[in-house]
Amino acid sequence: MIKKTLLAVAAVAVAGAASAFPDKPITIVVPFAAGGPTDKVARDFAEAVRKPLGNATIVVENVGGAGGTLGAARVAKATPDGHTLLLYHIGMSTSPGLYRKLPFSVLDDFEFVGMVNDVPMTLIGRPNLPANNFAELRKWINDNKGKVNLANAGLGAASHLCGLLFQQALQVEMTTVPYKGTAPAMTDILGGQVDIMCDQTTNTTSQIEAGKVKAYAVSTMQPLTTPALKNLPTLDSQGLKGFNVSIWHGVYAPKGTPKPVLDKLNAALREALKDPEFVKRQEALGAVIVTDNRLTPEGHKKFVADEINKWGAAIKAAGQYAD
Ligand code: ASP
């Protein structure tokens, strides 16, 4: 009897908390440096999701390092009330295959709120790199074996995955230079301190458009339609048969966040993805907004579970190039 009463009181408390949600600022943790591609998506998303959440105050917090796993760990341990969220990319599915011991379980320590977008990647180089197209880059890499630097955002980052597969495809080991995000990595590419990087179009489009970096190829099987990127060849068409990396972003809450709060967040996410300003900005940066069943928490979780298997196997096969 007492147990039943306690459960009823708890249920009322949860329902009350959900109807009041959000009753304080929401923090979206971006597990990379400010100004980079994940940060850009998160800030645009925060602006779009604010309205359907009753003009909530949303703060973006950058917790960079270790390929995004530090920020993810922070959210896994946060109070599960919907006020601390994570916006993370494909690293959610590659980090389990890369780290012997992750400080969280992707599938057990998070609630899946829904996915946001799919984003292709581009292979770029410092502006003073002598190679002007992919064939020349390939030759330059071969001529400079042991000296080529490859920037990334740490083990588990999208740039890490793309760079790993690139080294494997060329069968050439490069010196990887890890940053807390590809915003600082881009600064070093622009300054000529590091040679090449594979990064999301959400970071590289404007630099390519302005001619500030060398652009060599896109990571997807099909060429892109974004005006600034449409002349870039695919790696697949340049001899790296089957090379295909498209990354994605999703939103997560700590495990145990009440279902009514998650429902509110999911409904707000769906609204945000229809916001014309958000759609326009994402399209201009080469991102494709998710419209399929990955918008549901179940579809999102199933997709990430499948991606963990897919990339786990690929990472094992590319093991020697993994740092
Ligand atoms: N583009 C980065 C990555 O390689 C992360 C970032 O700075 O957003 O994962």
Side-chain angles (χ1 to χ4, degrees), residues 101-155:
K101 212 168 172 310
L102 265 186
F104 53 83
S105 157
V106 171
L107 297 178
D108 296 335
D109 292 345
F110 294 95
E111 304 288 354
F112 291 66
V113 176
M115 287 190 41
V116 175
N117 60 13
D118 292 294
V119 187
M121 302 194 79
T122 43
L123 183 65
I124 59 164
R126 58 179 160 85
N128 55 352
L129 206 87
N132 287 318
N133 55 46
F134 186 75
E136 289 178 17
L137 177 71
R138 206 167 171 176
K139 180 169 180 325
W140 180 82
I141 290 173
N142 276 321
D143 292 347
N144 287 281
K145 273 195 183 141
K147 290 189 245 157
V148 179
N149 291 318
L150 173 67
N152 71 26
L155 213 65

Side-chain angles (χ1 to χ4, degrees), residues 9-310:
V9 170
V12 169
V14 166
S19 63
F21 175 80
D23 55 358
K24 58 179 180 184
I26 293 174
T27 298
I28 298 182
V29 172
V30 170
F32 295 104
T38 314
D39 182 69
K40 281 183 201 148
V41 171
R43 284 176 198 271
D44 287 350
F45 175 74
E47 185 51 35
V49 84
R50 202 173 65 75
K51 298 162 216 163
L53 285 172
N55 286 326
T57 301
I58 304 194
V59 179
V60 172
E61 187 186 337
N62 298 89
V63 184
T69 59
L70 294 183
R74 150 127 163 63
V75 175
K77 291 186 196 86
T79 306
D81 60 4
H83 291 96
T84 309
L85 304 172
L86 171 71
L87 190 140
Y88 194 10
H89 60 30
I90 197 166
M92 206 63 169
S93 68
T94 56
S95 52
L98 287 165
Y99 286 84
R100 200 163 295 145
K101 212 168 172 310
L102 265 186
F104 53 83
S105 157
V106 171
L107 297 178
D108 296 335
D109 292 345
F110 294 95
E111 304 288 354
F112 291 66
V113 176
M115 287 190 41
V116 175
N117 60 13
D118 292 294
V119 187
M121 302 194 79
T122 43
L123 183 65
I124 59 164
R126 58 179 160 85
N128 55 352
L129 206 87
N132 287 318
N133 55 46
F134 186 75
E136 289 178 17
L137 177 71
R138 206 167 171 176
K139 180 169 180 325
W140 180 82
I141 290 173
N142 276 321
D143 292 347
N144 287 281
K145 273 195 183 141
K147 290 189 245 157
V148 179
N149 291 318
L150 173 67
N152 71 26
L155 213 65
S159 47
H160 172 264
L161 175 70
C162 188
L164 168 71
L165 299 176
F166 184 56
Q167 293 174 84
Q168 184 195 29
L170 294 185
Q171 297 278 296
V172 175
E173 258 182 86
M174 300 173 195
T175 304
T176 50
V177 185
Y179 294 81
K180 282 196 172 166
T182 46
M186 180 64 91
T187 305
D188 278 5
I189 287 269
L190 291 169
Q193 284 93 346
V194 64
D195 297 321
I196 54 174
M197 170 163 78
C198 190
D199 198 19
Q200 286 106 297
T201 57
T202 36
N203 201 29
T204 59
T205 304
S206 54
Q207 306 292 1
I208 292 173
E209 204 164 21
K212 291 194 173 154
V213 293
K214 293 267 165 93
Y216 296 111
V218 293
S219 66
T220 44
M221 294 296 276
Q222 298 301 324
L224 306 179
T225 52
T226 315
L229 309 173
K230 70 174 193 304
N231 292 327
L232 281 183
T234 64
L235 285 168
D236 175 74
S237 72
Q238 295 296 300
L240 307 190
K241 276 275 148 254
F243 198 104
N244 190 16
V245 184
S246 177
I247 75 113
W248 39 267
H249 296 94
V251 177
Y252 307 83
K255 186 78 186 176
T257 304
K259 170 93 168 52
V261 170
L262 289 171
D263 289 345
K264 262 196 178 178
L265 286 169
N266 179 262
L269 175 139
R270 288 164 180 265
E271 272 308 299
L273 301 198
K274 288 188 222 141
D275 182 293
E277 199 49 37
F278 181 74
V279 172
K280 203 168 100 198
R281 283 180 62 83
Q282 294 303 297
E283 281 175 1
L285 296 176
V288 179
I289 289 172
V290 170
T291 52
D292 51 35
N293 84 325
R294 295 173 299 162
L295 285 179
T296 66
E298 303 72 34
H300 180 186
K301 188 168 185 177
K302 158 101 179 55
F303 176 75
V304 173
D306 290 347
E307 288 275 287
I308 290 175
N309 291 334
K310 171 177 157 184

